[in-house]
Amino acid sequence: LRGPLGAGPARMNRAVVRRLSAGLAARLRTEPRAAERGVVIAGDHRHGSQALADEAAAVLAGAGLEALRIPGAVPTPLLAFAVGRLDAAAGVMVTASHNPASDNGCKLYWGDGAQVRPPVDAEIAAAADTVDDLAAVATAPEAVRRLNGLLAEGHLDACAALAPQPPDVSVRIVHTPLHGTAGATCLAALRRAGFADVHEIAEQADPDPDFPTVAHPNPEREGALDLALTEANRVGADLVLATDPDGDRLGEGWRQLSGDEVGCLLGEHLLARDGGVDAVVATTVVSSRLLGRIAAAHGAECVETLTGFKWLAPQADRAAARGKVLRLAYEQALGYMVTPAVRDKDGIAAAVAVADLAADVAARGMTLPDELDRLARRHGLHHTGERTLPLASSVDAAALLARLRASLPTTIDGVAVAAVADHAAGQRRTADGALEALGTPPAELLGVELADGSRLQTRPSGTEALLKCYAEVVEPVDDAEAVAVARRRAEQRLASRLAALIGLVERAMP
């Protein structure tokens, strides 16, 4: 749940959290040993977070469940870590991530440490809908057990382990938590991993729910990293890292790398360092296919899932069941899971992993862009981009995609359509009519593959009234040319393909 704070069922408030918590408790009572395993509850620094977390804990305790409350304002990855470390039946995190200051929300985790996913999410919602009299919901705030700081130490150890050897070269890092909860934790994790030359942005270091120095507290948004970039210029930084307000996402701002570029660099780094024969990496269907080519080169397996870490995180257990280990899961929206100790994206752990990557590259006399160029020469230059289109409240996204699906031409932007992946129907149809089943659950996502290797996709946002459009092109790099030349060609092709996709979507609008 995510939305503006305020009264009423469509906003975030104590009544909504009480109803949700009662529904969660009802669903948990059907799980074996849920009462003794308990539920971990935490909140970040946003307005109302601590009161809403206390409300959730009191309701869960009143339902006879062991309610384990992490005190204070903490980053989301600590809650995800705690669910796994304590073998809890569920977790509740009160946060709105990188939403505006006026918002708050609740994020639910299940007993495997990952975010709840179908059908459990619908079952919790259905149970919550049956709660008629909120005043009759039992609460027991006196029964809530407050946890100590050992969990935070365990999370720091898991993060620091991502740099198993002291760095061979010094890496000067600028970090900003964007007024969020990850500042002190990220600094401690980097230093514990051996990265001592870290400069925090003083104006953004302390948690502040009003986010006074940024228009949008999101490392993806223009202007969010201006202060960090100014400091990087002043101190001559090698790396600029930004965690979002609840610490679960990480942006790299100095080289202006995209989420796909960071994810693929991490994939190459971790597979080269730790080996790929028994390894699995995972990404989403709207992220770059470069990770798959990197994995194949290392003898590793690459899995694609739907968007969201509720689908990516369970790949850790699936890999383990086959005697393998999940080295990395990432999605293009700056989310990286780099340690199995946290079954969710973790910007703090990712910061350590990226610092280790940067140190490794620097020890070879290279930069991160140099390493990207090396991967482009080996696997082709994969260039990705996305655009969002606002949807009027009257527009039904599923109906819009159905119209788009029915009106797809045989060529797009002058290139033949090679295949269409209809995730709602669960099938992929090639141009010659052959059908194959998709390995993902049904979803409102439509993908088009072109004969030149381009991929175009569109889906509605899960949290906002937006339609998201994605494109990827793959440009070969000639041995005799500079990678920058191929990159310019790729940028032109990407812009053209993305414009063509948006044109098709706009024509399908009601």
Side-chain angles (χ1 to χ4, degrees):
L1 302 179
R2 220 187 284 185
L5 287 160
R11 293 178 178 265
M12 283 303 302
N13 50 62
R14 288 182 62 189
V16 166
V17 171
R18 178 173 289 202
R19 186 182 302 278
L20 172 67
S21 303
L24 173 61
R27 175 60 182 81
L28 281 171
R29 282 195 293 267
T30 69
E31 293 287 313
R33 297 182 53 247
E36 59 190 86
R37 291 177 67 192
V39 182
V40 187
I41 308 100
D44 67 7
H45 68 307
R46 284 179 176 267
H47 293 295
S49 284
Q50 296 304 306
L52 294 177
D54 286 342
E55 180 71 24
V59 170
L60 292 162
L65 297 159
E66 179 83 350
L68 308 168
R69 178 78 161 87
I70 301 177
V74 300
T76 293
L78 179 58
L79 183 280
F81 172 81
V83 172
R85 175 59 62 92
L86 299 176
D87 188 31
V92 179
M93 182 68 199
V94 178
T95 180
S97 189
H98 52 274
N99 274 39
S102 57
D103 288 7
N104 215 324
C106 269
K107 190 174 183 180
L108 301 187
Y109 292 79
W110 208 233
D112 61 353
Q115 297 173 43
V116 294
R117 55 191 179 275
V120 173
D121 53 357
E123 293 165 356
I124 294 170
D129 286 343
T130 66
V131 180
D132 295 323
D133 186 359
L134 289 177
V137 173
T139 61
E142 71 284 352
V144 175
R145 182 155 69 93
R146 296 178 77 81
L147 299 172
N148 60 33
L150 293 178
L151 281 169
E153 286 296 309
H155 178 238
L156 283 176
D157 287 340
C159 293
L162 291 159
Q165 301 294 330
D168 293 329
V169 297
S170 176
V171 177
R172 180 163 294 171
I173 301 169
V174 167
H175 171 250
T176 174
L178 296 178
H179 302 292
T181 56
T185 305
C186 194
L187 182 63
L190 286 166
R191 288 180 172 166
R192 190 169 295 193
F195 298 95
D197 194 356
V198 183
H199 299 254
E200 290 283 303
I201 305 303
E203 300 94 324
Q204 299 174 334
D206 295 330
D208 188 326
D210 294 317
F211 308 107
T213 69
V214 290
H216 302 280
N218 182 342
E220 287 185 298
R221 299 294 290 269
E222 186 176 353
L225 304 187
D226 284 354
L227 289 177
L229 293 174
T230 298
E231 178 69 2
N233 272 310
R234 188 185 72 80
V235 302
D238 301 300
L239 194 62
V240 174
L241 301 175
T243 43
D244 72 338
D246 72 325
D248 67 349
R249 299 199 309 159
L250 178 77
E252 194 289 320
W254 193 227
R255 308 294 182 180
Q256 297 184 325
L257 302 183
S258 69
D260 278 321
E261 289 172 329
V262 172
C264 291
L265 284 171
L266 281 174
E268 171 68 19
H269 174 63
L270 295 172
L271 290 173
R273 188 190 73 187
D274 301 330
V277 175
D278 64 345
V280 177
V281 292
T283 188
T284 69
V285 293
V286 299
S287 301
S288 176
R289 290 165 291 175
L290 175 57
L291 184 65
R293 296 191 179 187
I294 291 170
H298 289 281
E301 178 185 349
C302 184
V303 177
E304 279 192 347
T305 75
L306 295 177
T307 56
F309 272 80
K310 66 183 178 182
W311 303 111
L312 284 169
Q315 301 306 317
D317 286 336
R318 293 175 186 174
R322 294 181 284 115
K324 297 192 174 188
V325 59
L326 183 70
R327 301 274 185 223
L328 167 74
Y330 98 88
E331 63 180 1
Q332 97 303 333
L334 307 187
Y336 315 97
M337 175 180 152
V338 287
T339 169
V342 179
R343 299 298 175 89
D344 197 6
K345 55 187 179 290
D346 184 345
I348 299 161
V352 175
V354 171
D356 190 61
L357 157 69
D360 174 68
V361 169
R364 291 185 272 128
M366 299 168 63
T367 65
L368 295 182
D370 292 337
E371 181 71 349
L372 281 172
D373 287 354
R374 188 179 71 86
L375 292 175
R377 288 195 179 279
R378 180 176 295 180
H379 304 294
L381 198 156
H382 290 62
H383 191 44
T384 60
E386 65 181 89
R387 288 270 301 278
T388 57
L389 298 176
L391 291 178
S393 58
S394 59
V395 174
D396 181 276
L400 171 60
L401 288 185
R403 287 192 297 273
L404 177 61
R405 188 183 306 114
S407 61
L408 281 175
T410 57
T411 62
I412 296 177
D413 201 25
V415 184
V417 173
V420 175
D422 183 356
H423 288 264
Q427 63 183 20
R428 176 179 178 270
R429 182 188 293 273
T430 62
D432 60 6
L435 288 175
E436 63 177 287
L438 296 172
T440 52
E444 291 300 335
L445 170 65
L446 182 64
V448 179
E449 302 163 30
L450 302 184
D452 68 348
S454 303
R455 183 163 71 168
L456 311 175
Q457 297 180 93
T458 185
R459 70 175 182 91
S461 167
T463 56
E464 301 170 273
L466 299 171
L467 196 73
K468 297 196 171 189
C469 298
Y470 307 86
E472 179 179 33
V473 299
V474 183
E475 186 72 28
V477 183
D478 188 82
D479 289 341
E481 70 176 341
V483 176
V485 175
R487 183 166 283 110
R488 284 194 293 271
R489 290 199 304 269
E491 289 169 352
Q492 293 169 355
R493 285 178 62 208
L494 182 78
S496 182
R497 300 292 185 272
L498 200 50
L501 173 61
I502 290 169
L504 292 172
V505 170
E506 288 176 338
R507 285 193 287 275
M509 291 277 191

